Amino acid sequence: MSTPTIDSVILEAPDATATESFYTTAFGLGDRLRVRTSQAPTTGFRGYVLSLVVAQPGNVDALFNAALDSGATIIKPAKKSFWGYGGVLQAPDGAIWKIATSEKKDSKPVTRDIDSVVVLLGVEDVKATKQFYVGQGLGVAKSFGSKYVEFETGSSAIKLALYTRRAAAKDAGVAPEGTGARRFAISTSGPEFTDPDGLAWEASHIHA
């Protein structure tokens, strides 16, 4: 069985052109992010957080400020914590983004370089969803029982991790309740499938 790869994340929004423009200006993720049009109703927490991991606090601030200047809103201001430095914001399309580093001080010139992108899924049953993804061919990099799982995604441009829905929402600083469409999917060069929480993995060639 081939290991599933996350080639890009797909966000849906009523105005795909404006949404794509925001992300190009704010984060410059290139082909790691795709946007398509959807009018599907959605309210509250959508069950995922997209995390940008960077090298140092100055880079967090640079990306945070670029996003705010482009129309994002603050959920959690960027600040120091025991694990590093970071904050959470909401893009105009409603997607929640966490920008963080494990470093607590700058050691080189500030850039807007992104070291890695992580999809943090808030799921109903971490153990069950973990077993599902293991069954799809993903290896486990880290696992803390029924609380958190991080997968080995090999050559993927984007990493994957699981929290409980409540823990993911708490980490993001939002209420866990939400209804309607997720407005989010994953583009993969591997087989198509839908996970236990309804997240679709779609064939990359469809989006080429």
Side-chain angles (χ1 to χ4, degrees), residues 22-136:
F22 164 80
Y23 285 115
T24 299
T25 304
F27 300 146
L29 289 166
D31 58 9
R32 287 179 286 185
L33 174 69
R34 298 177 185 276
V35 181
R36 65 188 179 199
T37 302
S38 173
Q39 306 293 337
T42 182
T43 62
F45 183 49
R46 298 177 187 173
Y48 71 91
V49 176
L50 296 167
S51 179
L52 303 179
V53 181
V54 301
Q56 58 184 10
N59 296 13
V60 172
D61 289 337
L63 286 163
F64 219 79
N65 292 334
L68 294 177
D69 289 345
S70 300
T73 55
I74 294 174
I75 297 176
K76 282 186 176 182
K79 63 179 182 179
K80 286 183 181 178
S81 68
F82 68 92
W83 51 260
Y85 182 86
V88 181
L89 51 78
Q90 188 165 36
D93 64 286
I96 295 173
W97 294 80
K98 180 179 181 179
I99 309 174
T101 177
S102 59
E103 298 297 320
K104 296 189 178 181
K105 61 171 101 175
D106 294 341
S107 59
K108 48 195 166 186
V110 170
T111 71
R112 284 169 57 193
D113 294 343
I114 295 165
D115 294 348
S116 63
V117 180
V118 184
V119 175
L120 302 169
L121 297 181
V123 303
E124 294 303 325
D125 186 330
V126 169
K127 285 186 176 180
T129 303
K130 169 189 169 183
Q131 287 308 118
F132 172 83
Y133 278 112
V134 169
Q136 294 297 322

